[in-house]
PDB file of all heavy atoms in Angstrom:
ATOM      1  N   GLY A 269      99.342  81.923  93.741  1.00  0.00           N
ATOM      2  CA  GLY A 269      98.303  82.311  92.790  1.00  0.00           C
ATOM      3  C   GLY A 269      98.841  83.256  91.720  1.00  0.00           C
ATOM      4  O   GLY A 269     100.052  83.477  91.635  1.00  0.00           O
ATOM      5  N   ARG A 270      97.966  83.755  90.895  1.00  0.00           N
ATOM      6  CA  ARG A 270      98.381  84.595  89.751  1.00  0.00           C
ATOM      7  C   ARG A 270      98.840  85.948  90.177  1.00  0.00           C
ATOM      8  O   ARG A 270      98.084  86.730  90.780  1.00  0.00           O
ATOM      9  CB  ARG A 270      97.249  84.718  88.732  1.00  0.00           C
ATOM     10  CG  ARG A 270      96.945  83.426  87.988  1.00  0.00           C
ATOM     11  CD  ARG A 270      95.834  83.636  86.961  1.00  0.00           C
ATOM     12  NE  ARG A 270      95.526  82.417  86.268  1.00  0.00           N
ATOM     13  CZ  ARG A 270      96.096  82.008  85.135  1.00  0.00           C
ATOM     14  NH1 ARG A 270      97.016  82.778  84.576  1.00  0.00           N
ATOM     15  NH2 ARG A 270      95.745  80.883  84.571  1.00  0.00           N
ATOM     16  N   PHE A 271     100.086  86.269  89.849  1.00  0.00           N
ATOM     17  CA  PHE A 271     100.657  87.602  90.023  1.00  0.00           C
ATOM     18  C   PHE A 271     101.548  87.875  88.808  1.00  0.00           C
ATOM     19  O   PHE A 271     102.005  86.934  88.136  1.00  0.00           O
ATOM     20  CB  PHE A 271     101.495  87.694  91.292  1.00  0.00           C
ATOM     21  CG  PHE A 271     100.710  87.703  92.577  1.00  0.00           C
ATOM     22  CD1 PHE A 271     100.342  86.489  93.193  1.00  0.00           C
ATOM     23  CD2 PHE A 271     100.332  88.894  93.171  1.00  0.00           C
ATOM     24  CE1 PHE A 271      99.622  86.494  94.370  1.00  0.00           C
ATOM     25  CE2 PHE A 271      99.617  88.883  94.352  1.00  0.00           C
ATOM     26  CZ  PHE A 271      99.253  87.703  94.951  1.00  0.00           C
ATOM     27  N   ARG A 272     101.791  89.138  88.559  1.00  0.00           N
ATOM     28  CA  ARG A 272     102.768  89.521  87.550  1.00  0.00           C
ATOM     29  C   ARG A 272     103.952  90.182  88.257  1.00  0.00           C
ATOM     30  O   ARG A 272     103.759  91.146  88.997  1.00  0.00           O
ATOM     31  CB  ARG A 272     102.173  90.485  86.514  1.00  0.00           C
ATOM     32  CG  ARG A 272     103.169  90.882  85.438  1.00  0.00           C
ATOM     33  CD  ARG A 272     102.555  91.746  84.339  1.00  0.00           C
ATOM     34  NE  ARG A 272     102.139  93.058  84.837  1.00  0.00           N
ATOM     35  CZ  ARG A 272     100.891  93.383  85.151  1.00  0.00           C
ATOM     36  NH1 ARG A 272      99.929  92.489  85.038  1.00  0.00           N
ATOM     37  NH2 ARG A 272     100.580  94.595  85.584  1.00  0.00           N
ATOM     38  N   VAL A 273     105.139  89.686  87.996  1.00  0.00           N
ATOM     39  CA  VAL A 273     106.374  90.224  88.615  1.00  0.00           C
ATOM     40  C   VAL A 273     107.072  91.098  87.589  1.00  0.00           C
ATOM     41  O   VAL A 273     107.280  90.671  86.461  1.00  0.00           O
ATOM     42  CB  VAL A 273     107.282  89.110  89.103  1.00  0.00           C
ATOM     43  CG1 VAL A 273     108.542  89.678  89.756  1.00  0.00           C
ATOM     44  CG2 VAL A 273     106.564  88.179  90.073  1.00  0.00           C
ATOM     45  N   GLU A 274     107.440  92.289  87.985  1.00  0.00           N
ATOM     46  CA  GLU A 274     108.127  93.206  87.092  1.00  0.00           C
ATOM     47  C   GLU A 274     109.524  93.547  87.686  1.00  0.00           C
ATOM     48  O   GLU A 274     109.600  94.065  88.802  1.00  0.00           O
ATOM     49  CB  GLU A 274     107.328  94.512  86.897  1.00  0.00           C
ATOM     50  CG  GLU A 274     106.008  94.290  86.205  1.00  0.00           C
ATOM     51  CD  GLU A 274     105.252  95.592  86.009  1.00  0.00           C
ATOM     52  OE1 GLU A 274     105.790  96.653  86.410  1.00  0.00           O
ATOM     53  OE2 GLU A 274     104.143  95.553  85.473  1.00  0.00           O
ATOM     54  N   ALA A 275     110.559  93.253  86.921  1.00  0.00           N
ATOM     55  CA  ALA A 275     111.909  93.657  87.310  1.00  0.00           C
ATOM     56  C   ALA A 275     112.134  95.113  86.952  1.00  0.00           C
ATOM     57  O   ALA A 275     111.454  95.689  86.088  1.00  0.00           O
ATOM     58  CB  ALA A 275     112.946  92.786  86.601  1.00  0.00           C
ATOM     59  N   LYS A 276     113.065  95.751  87.621  1.00  0.00           N
ATOM     60  CA  LYS A 276     113.436  97.104  87.248  1.00  0.00           C
ATOM     61  C   LYS A 276     114.140  97.079  85.878  1.00  0.00           C
ATOM     62  O   LYS A 276     114.798  96.088  85.552  1.00  0.00           O
ATOM     63  CB  LYS A 276     114.367  97.734  88.276  1.00  0.00           C
ATOM     64  CG  LYS A 276     113.703  98.039  89.608  1.00  0.00           C
ATOM     65  CD  LYS A 276     114.589  98.850  90.513  1.00  0.00           C
ATOM     66  CE  LYS A 276     114.707 100.289  90.026  1.00  0.00           C
ATOM     67  NZ  LYS A 276     115.458 101.133  90.975  1.00  0.00           N
ATOM     68  N   PRO A 277     113.979  98.116  85.069  1.00  0.00           N
ATOM     69  CA  PRO A 277     114.616  98.100  83.732  1.00  0.00           C
ATOM     70  C   PRO A 277     116.113  97.825  83.809  1.00  0.00           C
ATOM     71  O   PRO A 277     116.669  97.167  82.943  1.00  0.00           O
ATOM     72  CB  PRO A 277     114.331  99.529  83.229  1.00  0.00           C
ATOM     73  CG  PRO A 277     113.089  99.939  83.914  1.00  0.00           C
ATOM     74  CD  PRO A 277     113.156  99.308  85.275  1.00  0.00           C
ATOM     75  N   THR A 278     116.783  98.303  84.848  1.00  0.00           N
ATOM     76  CA  THR A 278     118.224  98.092  84.972  1.00  0.00           C
ATOM     77  C   THR A 278     118.585  96.644  85.329  1.00  0.00           C
ATOM     78  O   THR A 278     119.754  96.253  85.264  1.00  0.00           O
ATOM     79  CB  THR A 278     118.814  99.009  86.048  1.00  0.00           C
ATOM     80  OG1 THR A 278     118.101  98.806  87.290  1.00  0.00           O
ATOM     81  CG2 THR A 278     118.663 100.468  85.645  1.00  0.00           C
ATOM     82  N   GLN A 279     117.578  95.838  85.711  1.00  0.00           N
ATOM     83  CA  GLN A 279     117.866  94.455  86.083  1.00  0.00           C
ATOM     84  C   GLN A 279     117.817  93.481  84.895  1.00  0.00           C
ATOM     85  O   GLN A 279     118.091  92.303  85.049  1.00  0.00           O
ATOM     86  CB  GLN A 279     116.846  93.987  87.143  1.00  0.00           C
ATOM     87  CG  GLN A 279     117.011  94.674  88.487  1.00  0.00           C
ATOM     88  CD  GLN A 279     115.887  94.350  89.437  1.00  0.00           C
ATOM     89  OE1 GLN A 279     114.711  94.560  89.133  1.00  0.00           O
ATOM     90  NE2 GLN A 279     116.237  93.857  90.612  1.00  0.00           N
ATOM     91  N   ARG A 280     117.445  93.980  83.732  1.00  0.00           N
ATOM     92  CA  ARG A 280     117.406  93.152  82.514  1.00  0.00           C
ATOM     93  C   ARG A 280     116.592  91.888  82.712  1.00  0.00           C
ATOM     94  O   ARG A 280     117.028  90.790  82.386  1.00  0.00           O
ATOM     95  CB  ARG A 280     118.822  92.825  82.057  1.00  0.00           C
ATOM     96  CG  ARG A 280     119.641  94.050  81.701  1.00  0.00           C
ATOM     97  CD  ARG A 280     121.029  93.680  81.187  1.00  0.00           C
ATOM     98  NE  ARG A 280     121.798  94.852  80.835  1.00  0.00           N
ATOM     99  CZ  ARG A 280     123.048  94.833  80.382  1.00  0.00           C
ATOM    100  NH1 ARG A 280     123.662  93.664  80.244  1.00  0.00           N
ATOM    101  NH2 ARG A 280     123.670  95.943  80.089  1.00  0.00           N
ATOM    102  N   ALA A 281     115.399  92.035  83.273  1.00  0.00           N
ATOM    103  CA  ALA A 281     114.456  90.949  83.465  1.00  0.00           C
ATOM    104  C   ALA A 281     114.990  89.866  84.395  1.00  0.00           C
ATOM    105  O   ALA A 281     114.531  88.712  84.339  1.00  0.00           O
ATOM    106  CB  ALA A 281     114.045  90.330  82.117  1.00  0.00           C
ATOM    107  N   GLU A 282     115.928  90.198  85.277  1.00  0.00           N
ATOM    108  CA  GLU A 282     116.453  89.229  86.228  1.00  0.00           C
ATOM    109  C   GLU A 282     115.943  89.569  87.619  1.00  0.00           C
ATOM    110  O   GLU A 282     115.856  90.716  88.029  1.00  0.00           O
ATOM    111  CB  GLU A 282     117.975  89.259  86.230  1.00  0.00           C
ATOM    112  CG  GLU A 282     118.620  88.714  84.957  1.00  0.00           C
ATOM    113  CD  GLU A 282     118.418  87.214  84.819  1.00  0.00           C
ATOM    114  OE1 GLU A 282     118.554  86.507  85.830  1.00  0.00           O
ATOM    115  OE2 GLU A 282     118.139  86.755  83.695  1.00  0.00           O
ATOM    116  N   ILE A 283     115.604  88.507  88.369  1.00  0.00           N
ATOM    117  CA  ILE A 283     115.221  88.628  89.772  1.00  0.00           C
ATOM    118  C   ILE A 283     116.159  87.802  90.600  1.00  0.00           C
ATOM    119  O   ILE A 283     116.463  86.635  90.277  1.00  0.00           O
ATOM    120  CB  ILE A 283     113.748  88.111  89.974  1.00  0.00           C
ATOM    121  CG1 ILE A 283     112.753  88.938  89.190  1.00  0.00           C
ATOM    122  CG2 ILE A 283     113.406  88.125  91.467  1.00  0.00           C
ATOM    123  CD1 ILE A 283     112.609  90.359  89.657  1.00  0.00           C
ATOM    124  N   HIS A 284     116.645  88.376  91.686  1.00  0.00           N
ATOM    125  CA  HIS A 284     117.482  87.638  92.617  1.00  0.00           C
ATOM    126  C   HIS A 284     116.619  87.323  93.849  1.00  0.00           C
ATOM    127  O   HIS A 284     116.183  88.248  94.546  1.00  0.00           O
ATOM    128  CB  HIS A 284     118.707  88.436  93.021  1.00  0.00           C
ATOM    129  CG  HIS A 284     119.651  87.661  93.921  1.00  0.00           C
ATOM    130  ND1 HIS A 284     120.432  86.610  93.460  1.00  0.00           N
ATOM    131  CD2 HIS A 284     119.884  87.770  95.244  1.00  0.00           C
ATOM    132  CE1 HIS A 284     121.125  86.128  94.473  1.00  0.00           C
ATOM    133  NE2 HIS A 284     120.834  86.811  95.588  1.00  0.00           N
ATOM    134  N   GLY A 285     116.369  86.060  94.101  1.00  0.00           N
ATOM    135  CA  GLY A 285     115.491  85.708  95.235  1.00  0.00           C
ATOM    136  C   GLY A 285     115.105  84.258  95.254  1.00  0.00           C
ATOM    137  O   GLY A 285     115.768  83.406  94.642  1.00  0.00           O
ATOM    138  N   ALA A 286     114.026  83.981  95.931  1.00  0.00           N
ATOM    139  CA  ALA A 286     113.526  82.603  96.062  1.00  0.00           C
ATOM    140  C   ALA A 286     112.089  82.669  96.549  1.00  0.00           C
ATOM    141  O   ALA A 286     111.675  83.621  97.216  1.00  0.00           O
ATOM    142  CB  ALA A 286     114.394  81.786  97.009  1.00  0.00           C
ATOM    143  N   VAL A 287     111.336  81.617  96.229  1.00  0.00           N
ATOM    144  CA  VAL A 287     109.983  81.444  96.773  1.00  0.00           C
ATOM    145  C   VAL A 287     109.941  80.043  97.374  1.00  0.00           C
ATOM    146  O   VAL A 287     110.215  79.041  96.686  1.00  0.00           O
ATOM    147  CB  VAL A 287     108.906  81.560  95.695  1.00  0.00           C
ATOM    148  CG1 VAL A 287     107.510  81.466  96.325  1.00  0.00           C
ATOM    149  CG2 VAL A 287     109.051  82.855  94.897  1.00  0.00           C
ATOM    150  N   LYS A 288     109.651  79.959  98.655  1.00  0.00           N
ATOM    151  CA  LYS A 288     109.656  78.684  99.341  1.00  0.00           C
ATOM    152  C   LYS A 288     108.316  78.437 100.029  1.00  0.00           C
ATOM    153  O   LYS A 288     107.755  79.353 100.632  1.00  0.00           O
ATOM    154  CB  LYS A 288     110.788  78.660 100.403  1.00  0.00           C
ATOM    155  CG  LYS A 288     110.891  77.362 101.185  1.00  0.00           C
ATOM    156  CD  LYS A 288     111.993  77.435 102.234  1.00  0.00           C
ATOM    157  CE  LYS A 288     112.054  76.186 103.069  1.00  0.00           C
ATOM    158  NZ  LYS A 288     113.102  76.265 104.110  1.00  0.00           N
ATOM    159  N   ARG A 289     107.804  77.264  99.929  1.00  0.00           N
ATOM    160  CA  ARG A 289     106.543  76.896 100.560  1.00  0.00           C
ATOM    161  C   ARG A 289     106.816  76.078 101.822  1.00  0.00           C
ATOM    162  O   ARG A 289     107.676  75.207 101.847  1.00  0.00           O
ATOM    163  CB  ARG A 289     105.657  76.103  99.629  1.00  0.00           C
ATOM    164  CG  ARG A 289     104.414  75.482 100.310  1.00  0.00           C
ATOM    165  CD  ARG A 289     103.625  74.635  99.345  1.00  0.00           C
ATOM    166  NE  ARG A 289     102.730  75.421  98.547  1.00  0.00           N
ATOM    167  CZ  ARG A 289     102.211  75.014  97.380  1.00  0.00           C
ATOM    168  NH1 ARG A 289     102.580  73.844  96.880  1.00  0.00           N
ATOM    169  NH2 ARG A 289     101.373  75.772  96.725  1.00  0.00           N
ATOM    170  N   ARG A 290     106.056  76.406 102.876  1.00  0.00           N
ATOM    171  CA  ARG A 290     106.073  75.602 104.107  1.00  0.00           C
ATOM    172  C   ARG A 290     104.640  75.416 104.564  1.00  0.00           C
ATOM    173  O   ARG A 290     103.739  76.130 104.153  1.00  0.00           O
ATOM    174  CB  ARG A 290     106.854  76.321 105.194  1.00  0.00           C
ATOM    175  CG  ARG A 290     108.351  76.377 104.976  1.00  0.00           C
ATOM    176  CD  ARG A 290     109.080  77.003 106.159  1.00  0.00           C
ATOM    177  NE  ARG A 290     108.926  76.215 107.387  1.00  0.00           N
ATOM    178  CZ  ARG A 290     109.525  76.490 108.521  1.00  0.00           C
ATOM    179  NH1 ARG A 290     110.315  77.575 108.604  1.00  0.00           N
ATOM    180  NH2 ARG A 290     109.350  75.747 109.607  1.00  0.00           N
ATOM    181  N   THR A 291     104.446  74.441 105.445  1.00  0.00           N
ATOM    182  CA  THR A 291     103.169  74.264 106.114  1.00  0.00           C
ATOM    183  C   THR A 291     103.408  74.490 107.597  1.00  0.00           C
ATOM    184  O   THR A 291     104.258  73.811 108.221  1.00  0.00           O
ATOM    185  CB  THR A 291     102.597  72.846 105.872  1.00  0.00           C
ATOM    186  OG1 THR A 291     102.378  72.666 104.497  1.00  0.00           O
ATOM    187  CG2 THR A 291     101.271  72.704 106.609  1.00  0.00           C
ATOM    188  N   LEU A 292     102.711  75.459 108.168  1.00  0.00           N
ATOM    189  CA  LEU A 292     102.814  75.760 109.582  1.00  0.00           C
ATOM    190  C   LEU A 292     101.447  75.591 110.180  1.00  0.00           C
ATOM    191  O   LEU A 292     100.498  76.234 109.761  1.00  0.00           O
ATOM    192  CB  LEU A 292     103.327  77.187 109.807  1.00  0.00           C
ATOM    193  CG  LEU A 292     104.753  77.493 109.308  1.00  0.00           C
ATOM    194  CD1 LEU A 292     105.076  78.948 109.587  1.00  0.00           C
ATOM    195  CD2 LEU A 292     105.764  76.591 109.980  1.00  0.00           C
ATOM    196  N   SER A 293     101.355  74.703 111.187  1.00  0.00           N
ATOM    197  CA  SER A 293     100.067  74.321 111.726  1.00  0.00           C
ATOM    198  C   SER A 293      99.222  73.798 110.561  1.00  0.00           C
ATOM    199  O   SER A 293      99.647  72.949 109.833  1.00  0.00           O
ATOM    200  CB  SER A 293      99.428  75.535 112.443  1.00  0.00           C
ATOM    201  OG  SER A 293      98.226  75.170 113.066  1.00  0.00           O
ATOM    202  N   ARG A 294      98.065  74.405 110.307  1.00  0.00           N
ATOM    203  CA  ARG A 294      97.243  73.965 109.183  1.00  0.00           C
ATOM    204  C   ARG A 294      97.295  74.929 108.007  1.00  0.00           C
ATOM    205  O   ARG A 294      96.509  74.805 107.058  1.00  0.00           O
ATOM    206  CB  ARG A 294      95.778  73.776 109.627  1.00  0.00           C
ATOM    207  CG  ARG A 294      95.153  75.052 110.197  1.00  0.00           C
ATOM    208  CD  ARG A 294      93.794  74.719 110.812  1.00  0.00           C
ATOM    209  NE  ARG A 294      93.184  75.857 111.481  1.00  0.00           N
ATOM    210  CZ  ARG A 294      92.332  76.707 110.920  1.00  0.00           C
ATOM    211  NH1 ARG A 294      92.011  76.541 109.650  1.00  0.00           N
ATOM    212  NH2 ARG A 294      91.803  77.689 111.607  1.00  0.00           N
ATOM    213  N   PHE A 295      98.224  75.863 108.020  1.00  0.00           N
ATOM    214  CA  PHE A 295      98.242  76.920 107.005  1.00  0.00           C
ATOM    215  C   PHE A 295      99.399  76.739 106.039  1.00  0.00           C
ATOM    216  O   PHE A 295     100.529  76.403 106.438  1.00  0.00           O
ATOM    217  CB  PHE A 295      98.386  78.290 107.670  1.00  0.00           C
ATOM    218  CG  PHE A 295      97.315  78.569 108.699  1.00  0.00           C
ATOM    219  CD1 PHE A 295      97.664  78.733 110.039  1.00  0.00           C
ATOM    220  CD2 PHE A 295      95.991  78.631 108.343  1.00  0.00           C
ATOM    221  CE1 PHE A 295      96.688  78.974 110.997  1.00  0.00           C
ATOM    222  CE2 PHE A 295      95.010  78.879 109.296  1.00  0.00           C
ATOM    223  CZ  PHE A 295      95.355  79.041 110.616  1.00  0.00           C
ATOM    224  N   ASP A 296      99.124  76.971 104.745  1.00  0.00           N
ATOM    225  CA  ASP A 296     100.203  77.093 103.786  1.00  0.00           C
ATOM    226  C   ASP A 296     100.877  78.434 103.992  1.00  0.00           C
ATOM    227  O   ASP A 296     100.228  79.446 104.250  1.00  0.00           O
ATOM    228  CB  ASP A 296      99.640  77.028 102.351  1.00  0.00           C
ATOM    229  CG  ASP A 296      99.257  75.636 101.933  1.00  0.00           C
ATOM    230  OD1 ASP A 296      99.827  74.688 102.487  1.00  0.00           O
ATOM    231  OD2 ASP A 296      98.393  75.508 101.037  1.00  0.00           O
ATOM    232  N   VAL A 297     102.181  78.419 103.906  1.00  0.00           N
ATOM    233  CA  VAL A 297     102.962  79.639 104.124  1.00  0.00           C
ATOM    234  C   VAL A 297     103.956  79.790 102.986  1.00  0.00           C
ATOM    235  O   VAL A 297     104.612  78.828 102.571  1.00  0.00           O
ATOM    236  CB  VAL A 297     103.737  79.555 105.456  1.00  0.00           C
ATOM    237  CG1 VAL A 297     104.625  80.783 105.628  1.00  0.00           C
ATOM    238  CG2 VAL A 297     102.781  79.443 106.619  1.00  0.00           C
ATOM    239  N   ALA A 298     104.037  80.976 102.439  1.00  0.00           N
ATOM    240  CA  ALA A 298     105.027  81.300 101.396  1.00  0.00           C
ATOM    241  C   ALA A 298     106.067  82.217 101.996  1.00  0.00           C
ATOM    242  O   ALA A 298     105.745  83.200 102.669  1.00  0.00           O
ATOM    243  CB  ALA A 298     104.343  81.982 100.201  1.00  0.00           C
ATOM    244  N   MET A 299     107.348  81.898 101.755  1.00  0.00           N
ATOM    245  CA  MET A 299     108.439  82.756 102.123  1.00  0.00           C
ATOM    246  C   MET A 299     109.006  83.314 100.830  1.00  0.00           C
ATOM    247  O   MET A 299     109.566  82.584 100.003  1.00  0.00           O
ATOM    248  CB  MET A 299     109.516  81.989 102.880  1.00  0.00           C
ATOM    249  CG  MET A 299     108.992  81.453 104.227  1.00  0.00           C
ATOM    250  SD  MET A 299     110.302  80.633 105.169  1.00  0.00           S
ATOM    251  CE  MET A 299     109.406  80.341 106.700  1.00  0.00           C
ATOM    252  N   VAL A 300     108.834  84.606 100.637  1.00  0.00           N
ATOM    253  CA  VAL A 300     109.077  85.242  99.358  1.00  0.00           C
ATOM    254  C   VAL A 300     110.214  86.252  99.495  1.00  0.00           C
ATOM    255  O   VAL A 300     110.084  87.237 100.245  1.00  0.00           O
ATOM    256  CB  VAL A 300     107.823  85.945  98.824  1.00  0.00           C
ATOM    257  CG1 VAL A 300     108.101  86.607  97.481  1.00  0.00           C
ATOM    258  CG2 VAL A 300     106.652  84.959  98.712  1.00  0.00           C
ATOM    259  N   THR A 301     111.313  86.001  98.810  1.00  0.00           N
ATOM    260  CA  THR A 301     112.441  86.935  98.763  1.00  0.00           C
ATOM    261  C   THR A 301     112.641  87.368  97.336  1.00  0.00           C
ATOM    262  O   THR A 301     112.649  86.528  96.428  1.00  0.00           O
ATOM    263  CB  THR A 301     113.716  86.284  99.323  1.00  0.00           C
ATOM    264  OG1 THR A 301     113.507  85.917 100.695  1.00  0.00           O
ATOM    265  CG2 THR A 301     114.891  87.237  99.239  1.00  0.00           C
ATOM    266  N   LEU A 302     112.831  88.679  97.110  1.00  0.00           N
ATOM    267  CA  LEU A 302     112.998  89.188  95.759  1.00  0.00           C
ATOM    268  C   LEU A 302     113.544  90.615  95.801  1.00  0.00           C
ATOM    269  O   LEU A 302     113.545  91.269  96.847  1.00  0.00           O
ATOM    270  CB  LEU A 302     111.673  89.166  95.005  1.00  0.00           C
ATOM    271  CG  LEU A 302     110.593  90.212  95.318  1.00  0.00           C
ATOM    272  CD1 LEU A 302     109.463  90.103  94.286  1.00  0.00           C
ATOM    273  CD2 LEU A 302     110.046  90.086  96.708  1.00  0.00           C
ATOM    274  N   ASP A 303     113.997  91.076  94.623  1.00  0.00           N
ATOM    275  CA  ASP A 303     114.421  92.463  94.469  1.00  0.00           C
ATOM    276  C   ASP A 303     113.746  93.087  93.244  1.00  0.00           C
ATOM    277  O   ASP A 303     114.373  93.801  92.480  1.00  0.00           O
ATOM    278  CB  ASP A 303     115.964  92.545  94.376  1.00  0.00           C
ATOM    279  CG  ASP A 303     116.504  91.752  93.181  1.00  0.00           C
ATOM    280  OD1 ASP A 303     115.720  91.060  92.492  1.00  0.00           O
ATOM    281  OD2 ASP A 303     117.727  91.823  92.951  1.00  0.00           O
ATOM    282  N   ALA A 304     112.461  92.783  93.087  1.00  0.00           N
ATOM    283  CA  ALA A 304     111.704  93.265  91.923  1.00  0.00           C
ATOM    284  C   ALA A 304     111.355  94.748  92.048  1.00  0.00           C
ATOM    285  O   ALA A 304     111.529  95.354  93.113  1.00  0.00           O
ATOM    286  CB  ALA A 304     110.406  92.450  91.794  1.00  0.00           C
ATOM    287  N   ASN A 305     110.867  95.306  90.951  1.00  0.00           N
ATOM    288  CA  ASN A 305     110.336  96.651  91.002  1.00  0.00           C
ATOM    289  C   ASN A 305     108.948  96.595  91.657  1.00  0.00           C
ATOM    290  O   ASN A 305     108.686  97.326  92.619  1.00  0.00           O
ATOM    291  CB  ASN A 305     110.207  97.232  89.597  1.00  0.00           C
ATOM    292  CG  ASN A 305     109.690  98.675  89.608  1.00  0.00           C
ATOM    293  OD1 ASN A 305     110.024  99.438  90.483  1.00  0.00           O
ATOM    294  ND2 ASN A 305     108.841  98.999  88.655  1.00  0.00           N
ATOM    295  N   ARG A 306     108.083  95.712  91.182  1.00  0.00           N
ATOM    296  CA  ARG A 306     106.766  95.569  91.773  1.00  0.00           C
ATOM    297  C   ARG A 306     106.171  94.227  91.384  1.00  0.00           C
ATOM    298  O   ARG A 306     106.591  93.572  90.442  1.00  0.00           O
ATOM    299  CB  ARG A 306     105.820  96.703  91.367  1.00  0.00           C
ATOM    300  CG  ARG A 306     105.495  96.764  89.885  1.00  0.00           C
ATOM    301  CD  ARG A 306     104.495  97.890  89.593  1.00  0.00           C
ATOM    302  NE  ARG A 306     104.097  97.842  88.186  1.00  0.00           N
ATOM    303  CZ  ARG A 306     102.881  98.137  87.738  1.00  0.00           C
ATOM    304  NH1 ARG A 306     101.951  98.500  88.583  1.00  0.00           N
ATOM    305  NH2 ARG A 306     102.608  98.079  86.474  1.00  0.00           N
ATOM    306  N   VAL A 307     105.126  93.822  92.134  1.00  0.00           N
ATOM    307  CA  VAL A 307     104.329  92.608  91.855  1.00  0.00           C
ATOM    308  C   VAL A 307     102.870  93.033  91.849  1.00  0.00           C
ATOM    309  O   VAL A 307     102.418  93.723  92.751  1.00  0.00           O
ATOM    310  CB  VAL A 307     104.590  91.521  92.933  1.00  0.00           C
ATOM    311  CG1 VAL A 307     103.676  90.330  92.677  1.00  0.00           C
ATOM    312  CG2 VAL A 307     106.054  91.096  92.930  1.00  0.00           C
ATOM    313  N   VAL A 308     102.160  92.623  90.797  1.00  0.00           N
ATOM    314  CA  VAL A 308     100.787  93.082  90.574  1.00  0.00           C
ATOM    315  C   VAL A 308      99.824  91.909  90.499  1.00  0.00           C
ATOM    316  O   VAL A 308     100.145  90.869  89.921  1.00  0.00           O
ATOM    317  CB  VAL A 308     100.702  93.908  89.282  1.00  0.00           C
ATOM    318  CG1 VAL A 308      99.257  94.312  88.966  1.00  0.00           C
ATOM    319  CG2 VAL A 308     101.582  95.161  89.361  1.00  0.00           C
TER     320      VAL A 308
END
């Protein structure tokens, strides 16, 4: 869904990570890896 991701100023708008979707049982699951400053 809608979020805003903010990198740290020293990262120059770069994020190192991944977002992966899986289905477990009947649920959607997100596996979220990142090194952001914050997500809003």
Side-chain angles (χ1 to χ4, degrees):
R270 289 182 182 269
F271 288 87
R272 181 176 66 259
V273 181
E274 296 181 1
K276 291 189 73 174
T278 55
Q279 291 172 304
R280 299 182 180 179
E282 291 291 319
I283 298 293
H284 184 72
V287 185
K288 180 181 178 182
R289 170 184 277 159
R290 290 184 63 176
T291 299
L292 296 178
S293 185
R294 59 189 175 93
F295 305 116
D296 285 335
V297 176
M299 296 183 174
V300 181
T301 298
L302 76 172
D303 59 355
N305 182 38
R306 65 177 186 144
V307 175
V308 176

